[in-house]
Amino acid sequence: MKGRCYCGALHYEVTAVPVWKLQCHCRECQYISGGGPNFAMAVPLEGFAFTKGTPAEFIRDDLEGARTRQFCGTCGTHILTRIPGRDYLVLKAGTLDNPAADFGDAEFAIFMKDAQPFHVVAEGKLCFDDLPPR
């Protein structure tokens, strides 16, 4: 799978099978997406590489265990999130060159407790108020 930012300054390649695909309705994802849920997939760290450009990063310094957000420093497209201690990263589905084929559909929806009235979840989709049980 391949993908990029809006302006094309950043390109990446995924060579691993995604661990899971989801839509996240947490408040943080709403900020990053501009209001909607985040459609994303977990990709093993060793199966992801930037192939063009170097991403800009943002890490909140006021939170313990803050995530690293990587995005294009030119156009601002958010590409992925790195979570401390996890062996995967969270890749935004909308940045894939072929999201319909490579992402397809979310397997489940999380943080429904934060969902807005205008967020849509497909009928029959497995939903969790918080994170799913491990």
Side-chain angles (χ1 to χ4, degrees):
M1 293 180 276
K2 294 182 180 186
R4 65 179 183 86
C5 67
Y6 180 66
C7 74
L10 278 180
H11 286 241
Y12 65 81
E13 184 173 31
V14 176
T15 57
V17 175
V19 178
W20 41 252
K21 300 172 184 178
L22 63 76
Q23 63 186 78
C24 181
H25 295 262
C26 78
R27 192 66 183 110
E28 292 82 359
C29 282
Q30 292 176 45
Y31 280 110
I32 292 188
S33 73
N38 179 15
F39 291 88
M41 59 185 175
V43 175
L45 294 173
E46 69 278 356
F48 178 89
F50 282 104
T51 57
K52 178 183 176 188
T54 302
E57 293 186 346
F58 175 75
I59 305 169
R60 284 187 56 171
D61 59 9
D62 62 329
L63 295 176
E64 186 175 322
R67 281 96 169 104
T68 301
R69 313 284 181 180
Q70 291 186 311
F71 57 95
C72 177
T74 303
C75 68
T77 301
H78 180 226
I79 304 290
L80 62 85
T81 300
R82 295 180 187 270
I83 304 170
R86 301 290 168 90
D87 59 353
Y88 60 85
L89 53 84
V90 181
L91 179 66
K92 292 188 67 88
T95 65
L96 291 162
D97 287 345
N98 192 348
D102 294 338
F103 182 76
D105 192 14
E107 297 164 5
F108 52 90
I110 61 174
F111 287 101
M112 293 305 297
K113 67 182 182 186
D114 294 335
Q116 302 301 323
F118 51 85
H119 289 177
V120 177
V121 177
E123 189 174 328
K125 184 77 57 193
L126 189 58
C127 294
F128 300 93
D129 281 340
D130 213 311
L131 291 171
R134 288 188 176 184

